[in-house]
């Protein structure tokens, strides 16, 4: 959650750039990296392998550019 306040917020998915943090869920408990092409790099849960996933598979809140 602290990462959500670390940089400049980006509210439009179309403005995301590769490497931006992507914040999901209303309580901001999940963070990934924008990988471009509508893909996010993230670990879906504790113990899971890091993987690419479509950004639309989770409730996008905003991005953060550090």
């Amino acid at each position: 959650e602290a990462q959500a306040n670390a940089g400049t917020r980006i509210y439009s998915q179309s403005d995301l750039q590769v490497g931006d943090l992507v914040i999901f869920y209303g309580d901001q408990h999940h963070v990934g990296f924008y990988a471009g092409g509508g893909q996010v790099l993230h670990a879906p849960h504790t113990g899971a392998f890091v993987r690419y996933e479509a950004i639309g598979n989770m409730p996008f809140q905003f991005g953060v550019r550090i």
Side-chain angles (χ1 to χ4, degrees):
E1 294 172 26
Q3 295 174 8
N5 297 312
T8 304
R9 286 191 179 188
I10 303 155
Y11 292 100
S12 173
Q13 290 183 28
S14 64
D15 291 334
L16 291 171
Q17 295 179 2
V18 173
D20 287 341
L21 298 176
V22 185
I23 312 298
F24 296 99
Y25 298 97
D27 63 358
Q28 304 169 2
H29 76 268
H30 192 70
V31 178
F33 290 102
Y34 186 64
Q39 297 289 304
V40 175
L41 183 63
H42 76 123
H45 55 80
T46 303
F49 291 105
V50 174
R51 68 182 187 205
Y52 291 97
E53 187 165 350
I55 195 169
N57 288 352
M58 294 173 285
F60 173 81
Q61 298 300 303
F62 54 88
V64 176
R65 187 163 300 141
I66 304 295

